[in-house]
Short mmCIF file of all heavy atoms in Angstrom, two decimals:
data_model
loop_
_atom_site.label_atom_id
_atom_site.label_comp_id
_atom_site.label_asym_id
_atom_site.label_seq_id
_atom_site.Cartn_x
_atom_site.Cartn_y
_atom_site.Cartn_z
N GLN A 1 74.45 138.37 124.12
CA GLN A 1 74.06 139.15 125.29
C GLN A 1 74.33 140.63 125.02
O GLN A 1 75.41 140.99 124.55
CB GLN A 1 74.85 138.71 126.54
CG GLN A 1 74.63 137.26 126.94
CD GLN A 1 73.27 137.04 127.57
OE1 GLN A 1 72.69 137.95 128.17
NE2 GLN A 1 72.75 135.82 127.43
N SER A 2 73.34 141.48 125.29
CA SER A 2 73.47 142.93 125.17
C SER A 2 74.12 143.36 123.85
O SER A 2 75.15 144.05 123.84
CB SER A 2 74.27 143.50 126.35
OG SER A 2 73.69 143.13 127.58
N PRO A 3 73.55 142.97 122.72
CA PRO A 3 74.17 143.35 121.45
C PRO A 3 74.10 144.84 121.17
O PRO A 3 74.99 145.39 120.51
CB PRO A 3 73.34 142.56 120.43
CG PRO A 3 72.01 142.39 121.08
CD PRO A 3 72.30 142.22 122.54
N LEU A 4 73.06 145.50 121.71
CA LEU A 4 72.86 146.93 121.50
C LEU A 4 72.23 147.52 122.77
O LEU A 4 71.60 146.80 123.55
CB LEU A 4 71.93 147.17 120.31
CG LEU A 4 72.44 146.75 118.91
CD1 LEU A 4 71.30 146.76 117.91
CD2 LEU A 4 73.58 147.66 118.47
N PRO A 5 72.36 148.81 122.97
CA PRO A 5 71.71 149.43 124.14
C PRO A 5 70.21 149.17 124.12
O PRO A 5 69.54 149.34 123.09
CB PRO A 5 72.02 150.92 123.95
CG PRO A 5 73.28 150.95 123.15
CD PRO A 5 73.19 149.79 122.22
N GLY A 6 69.69 148.72 125.25
CA GLY A 6 68.26 148.46 125.37
C GLY A 6 67.85 147.05 124.99
O GLY A 6 66.69 146.65 125.20
N VAL A 7 68.76 146.28 124.43
CA VAL A 7 68.48 144.89 124.06
C VAL A 7 69.29 143.99 124.98
O VAL A 7 70.52 143.98 124.93
CB VAL A 7 68.84 144.60 122.59
CG1 VAL A 7 68.50 143.15 122.22
CG2 VAL A 7 68.13 145.57 121.65
N ASP A 8 68.59 143.24 125.83
CA ASP A 8 69.28 142.39 126.80
C ASP A 8 69.91 141.17 126.13
O ASP A 8 71.03 140.77 126.47
CB ASP A 8 68.30 141.93 127.88
CG ASP A 8 67.77 143.09 128.72
OD1 ASP A 8 68.50 144.09 128.85
OD2 ASP A 8 66.63 143.00 129.20
N GLU A 9 69.18 140.57 125.21
CA GLU A 9 69.70 139.39 124.51
C GLU A 9 68.98 139.27 123.17
O GLU A 9 67.80 139.58 123.05
CB GLU A 9 69.49 138.11 125.33
CG GLU A 9 70.16 136.89 124.71
CD GLU A 9 70.05 135.64 125.57
OE1 GLU A 9 69.14 135.58 126.41
OE2 GLU A 9 70.88 134.72 125.39
N ALA A 10 69.71 138.78 122.17
CA ALA A 10 69.11 138.63 120.84
C ALA A 10 69.70 137.42 120.14
O ALA A 10 70.84 137.02 120.41
CB ALA A 10 69.33 139.88 120.00
N LEU A 11 68.89 136.87 119.27
CA LEU A 11 69.41 135.90 118.30
C LEU A 11 69.78 136.74 117.08
O LEU A 11 68.91 137.32 116.42
CB LEU A 11 68.35 134.86 117.94
CG LEU A 11 68.79 133.84 116.86
CD1 LEU A 11 69.97 133.01 117.36
CD2 LEU A 11 67.62 132.94 116.47
N VAL A 12 71.07 136.82 116.80
CA VAL A 12 71.58 137.64 115.71
C VAL A 12 71.90 136.75 114.53
O VAL A 12 72.68 135.80 114.65
CB VAL A 12 72.83 138.44 116.15
CG1 VAL A 12 73.41 139.21 114.98
CG2 VAL A 12 72.49 139.38 117.30
N ILE A 13 71.29 137.03 113.38
CA ILE A 13 71.56 136.30 112.14
C ILE A 13 72.23 137.28 111.19
O ILE A 13 71.61 138.20 110.68
CB ILE A 13 70.27 135.75 111.52
CG1 ILE A 13 69.55 134.82 112.50
CG2 ILE A 13 70.58 135.01 110.21
CD1 ILE A 13 68.19 134.33 112.00
N ALA A 14 73.54 137.08 110.99
CA ALA A 14 74.33 137.98 110.15
C ALA A 14 74.84 137.23 108.94
O ALA A 14 75.32 136.09 109.05
CB ALA A 14 75.50 138.55 110.95
N GLY A 15 74.74 137.86 107.76
CA GLY A 15 75.19 137.23 106.54
C GLY A 15 76.37 137.95 105.93
O GLY A 15 76.48 139.18 106.02
N SER A 16 77.26 137.20 105.28
CA SER A 16 78.41 137.82 104.61
C SER A 16 77.96 138.66 103.43
O SER A 16 78.64 139.60 103.02
CB SER A 16 79.37 136.74 104.13
OG SER A 16 78.73 135.88 103.19
N ASP A 17 76.82 138.31 102.86
CA ASP A 17 76.21 139.02 101.75
C ASP A 17 74.71 138.79 101.86
O ASP A 17 74.24 138.19 102.82
CB ASP A 17 76.77 138.54 100.40
CG ASP A 17 76.82 137.02 100.30
OD1 ASP A 17 75.91 136.35 100.85
OD2 ASP A 17 77.75 136.48 99.68
N ARG A 18 73.95 139.25 100.87
CA ARG A 18 72.50 139.18 101.03
C ARG A 18 72.00 137.75 101.10
O ARG A 18 71.13 137.44 101.92
CB ARG A 18 71.80 139.95 99.93
CG ARG A 18 72.02 139.47 98.49
CD ARG A 18 71.16 140.29 97.56
NE ARG A 18 71.31 139.94 96.15
CZ ARG A 18 70.49 140.37 95.21
NH1 ARG A 18 69.47 141.16 95.53
NH2 ARG A 18 70.67 140.04 93.94
N ARG A 19 72.56 136.85 100.26
CA ARG A 19 72.08 135.48 100.34
C ARG A 19 72.56 134.77 101.60
O ARG A 19 71.88 133.87 102.11
CB ARG A 19 72.47 134.71 99.07
CG ARG A 19 71.51 134.99 97.92
CD ARG A 19 71.77 134.09 96.74
NE ARG A 19 73.05 134.35 96.10
CZ ARG A 19 73.26 135.28 95.18
NH1 ARG A 19 72.26 136.06 94.77
NH2 ARG A 19 74.45 135.44 94.65
N GLY A 20 73.71 135.17 102.12
CA GLY A 20 74.12 134.61 103.39
C GLY A 20 73.08 134.89 104.46
O GLY A 20 72.66 134.01 105.21
N ALA A 21 72.63 136.15 104.56
CA ALA A 21 71.61 136.52 105.54
C ALA A 21 70.30 135.80 105.25
O ALA A 21 69.61 135.32 106.17
CB ALA A 21 71.40 138.03 105.53
N ILE A 22 69.92 135.70 103.98
CA ILE A 22 68.68 135.02 103.60
C ILE A 22 68.72 133.56 104.02
O ILE A 22 67.75 133.03 104.58
CB ILE A 22 68.43 135.17 102.09
CG1 ILE A 22 68.08 136.62 101.74
CG2 ILE A 22 67.32 134.23 101.63
CD1 ILE A 22 68.13 136.92 100.25
N TYR A 23 69.84 132.89 103.78
CA TYR A 23 69.95 131.48 104.15
C TYR A 23 69.88 131.30 105.66
O TYR A 23 69.31 130.32 106.16
CB TYR A 23 71.24 130.88 103.62
CG TYR A 23 71.35 130.83 102.12
CD1 TYR A 23 72.59 130.91 101.48
CD2 TYR A 23 70.22 130.71 101.31
CE1 TYR A 23 72.70 130.88 100.11
CE2 TYR A 23 70.32 130.67 99.93
CZ TYR A 23 71.56 130.76 99.33
OH TYR A 23 71.66 130.72 97.96
N GLY A 24 70.47 132.24 106.41
CA GLY A 24 70.37 132.16 107.86
C GLY A 24 68.94 132.28 108.34
O GLY A 24 68.51 131.57 109.26
N VAL A 25 68.18 133.16 107.71
CA VAL A 25 66.76 133.33 108.06
C VAL A 25 65.99 132.05 107.77
O VAL A 25 65.23 131.55 108.63
CB VAL A 25 66.15 134.50 107.26
CG1 VAL A 25 64.64 134.51 107.36
CG2 VAL A 25 66.72 135.83 107.76
N TYR A 26 66.19 131.48 106.58
CA TYR A 26 65.43 130.28 106.22
C TYR A 26 65.92 129.05 106.99
O TYR A 26 65.18 128.08 107.15
CB TYR A 26 65.47 130.06 104.72
CG TYR A 26 64.60 131.05 103.97
CD1 TYR A 26 65.03 131.66 102.80
CD2 TYR A 26 63.33 131.39 104.45
CE1 TYR A 26 64.23 132.57 102.11
CE2 TYR A 26 62.54 132.31 103.78
CZ TYR A 26 62.99 132.89 102.62
OH TYR A 26 62.19 133.79 101.96
N GLU A 27 67.17 129.08 107.46
CA GLU A 27 67.63 128.02 108.36
C GLU A 27 66.81 128.03 109.65
O GLU A 27 66.37 126.98 110.13
CB GLU A 27 69.12 128.20 108.68
CG GLU A 27 69.69 127.13 109.60
CD GLU A 27 69.68 125.75 108.96
OE1 GLU A 27 70.15 125.62 107.82
OE2 GLU A 27 69.20 124.82 109.61
N LEU A 28 66.60 129.22 110.19
CA LEU A 28 65.78 129.32 111.41
C LEU A 28 64.36 128.86 111.13
O LEU A 28 63.76 128.15 111.94
CB LEU A 28 65.79 130.75 111.94
CG LEU A 28 64.99 130.98 113.23
CD1 LEU A 28 65.48 130.09 114.37
CD2 LEU A 28 65.04 132.45 113.64
N SER A 29 63.80 129.25 109.98
CA SER A 29 62.45 128.81 109.63
C SER A 29 62.35 127.29 109.63
O SER A 29 61.41 126.71 110.16
CB SER A 29 62.07 129.33 108.24
OG SER A 29 61.85 130.73 108.26
N GLU A 30 63.36 126.65 109.03
CA GLU A 30 63.33 125.19 108.97
C GLU A 30 63.51 124.57 110.35
O GLU A 30 62.88 123.55 110.69
CB GLU A 30 64.41 124.70 108.00
CG GLU A 30 64.18 123.29 107.52
CD GLU A 30 64.99 122.96 106.27
OE1 GLU A 30 65.66 123.86 105.72
OE2 GLU A 30 64.94 121.79 105.85
N GLN A 31 64.34 125.19 111.17
CA GLN A 31 64.57 124.67 112.52
C GLN A 31 63.31 124.73 113.39
O GLN A 31 63.10 123.88 114.25
CB GLN A 31 65.71 125.44 113.20
CG GLN A 31 67.08 125.24 112.58
CD GLN A 31 67.69 123.89 112.88
OE1 GLN A 31 67.31 123.23 113.84
NE2 GLN A 31 68.64 123.46 112.07
N ILE A 32 62.47 125.74 113.17
CA ILE A 32 61.25 125.82 113.98
C ILE A 32 60.11 124.98 113.40
O ILE A 32 59.01 124.95 113.95
CB ILE A 32 60.77 127.28 114.16
CG1 ILE A 32 60.34 127.91 112.84
CG2 ILE A 32 61.85 128.11 114.86
CD1 ILE A 32 59.72 129.31 112.99
N GLY A 33 60.40 124.30 112.27
CA GLY A 33 59.44 123.33 111.77
C GLY A 33 58.72 123.67 110.48
O GLY A 33 57.76 122.98 110.11
N VAL A 34 59.18 124.71 109.76
CA VAL A 34 58.55 125.08 108.50
C VAL A 34 59.39 124.53 107.35
O VAL A 34 60.50 125.00 107.10
CB VAL A 34 58.38 126.61 108.36
CG1 VAL A 34 57.72 126.94 107.02
CG2 VAL A 34 57.56 127.15 109.51
N SER A 35 58.87 123.53 106.65
CA SER A 35 59.58 122.92 105.53
C SER A 35 59.69 123.89 104.37
O SER A 35 58.77 124.67 104.11
CB SER A 35 58.84 121.66 105.07
OG SER A 35 59.32 121.22 103.81
N PRO A 36 60.81 123.83 103.60
CA PRO A 36 60.87 124.63 102.37
C PRO A 36 59.72 124.32 101.42
O PRO A 36 59.35 125.14 100.59
CB PRO A 36 62.21 124.21 101.75
CG PRO A 36 63.05 123.76 102.91
CD PRO A 36 62.08 123.12 103.85
N TRP A 37 59.11 123.15 101.57
CA TRP A 37 58.03 122.69 100.70
C TRP A 37 56.66 122.92 101.32
O TRP A 37 55.67 122.29 100.91
CB TRP A 37 58.22 121.21 100.39
CG TRP A 37 59.45 120.94 99.58
CD1 TRP A 37 60.67 120.57 100.05
CD2 TRP A 37 59.59 121.05 98.16
NE1 TRP A 37 61.57 120.44 99.01
CE2 TRP A 37 60.92 120.71 97.85
CE3 TRP A 37 58.72 121.39 97.13
CZ2 TRP A 37 61.40 120.72 96.54
CZ3 TRP A 37 59.20 121.38 95.83
CH2 TRP A 37 60.52 121.05 95.54
N TYR A 38 56.55 123.83 102.30
CA TYR A 38 55.25 124.08 102.93
C TYR A 38 54.22 124.57 101.92
O TYR A 38 53.02 124.30 102.05
CB TYR A 38 55.40 125.14 104.05
CG TYR A 38 55.44 126.56 103.53
CD1 TYR A 38 54.29 127.33 103.44
CD2 TYR A 38 56.64 127.12 103.08
CE1 TYR A 38 54.34 128.63 102.93
CE2 TYR A 38 56.68 128.40 102.56
CZ TYR A 38 55.53 129.15 102.48
OH TYR A 38 55.57 130.42 101.96
N ASP A 39 54.68 125.27 100.88
CA ASP A 39 53.79 125.82 99.87
C ASP A 39 53.59 124.84 98.74
O ASP A 39 52.50 124.33 98.51
CB ASP A 39 54.37 127.15 99.36
CG ASP A 39 53.49 127.83 98.31
OD1 ASP A 39 52.32 127.45 98.18
OD2 ASP A 39 53.98 128.74 97.62
#
């Protein structure tokens, strides 16, 4: 809730390092139904 001025609510994906953030992004992709093997 209200992570920054002007933003009422956000889904925040934060990584400890670059691959941490990348894995969080692709986790969301998989959760919404996009398989790693879509390609």
Side-chain angles (χ1 to χ4, degrees):
Q1 298 287 332
S2 304
L4 294 167
V7 182
D8 296 331
E9 187 176 22
L11 177 63
V12 176
I13 302 174
S16 61
D17 47 35
R18 62 175 178 168
R19 278 188 294 275
I22 291 167
Y23 295 150
V25 168
Y26 287 137
E27 181 65 50
L28 181 58
S29 289
E30 199 163 354
Q31 293 286 339
I32 65 174
V34 180
S35 167
W37 295 96
Y38 80 94
D39 181 16

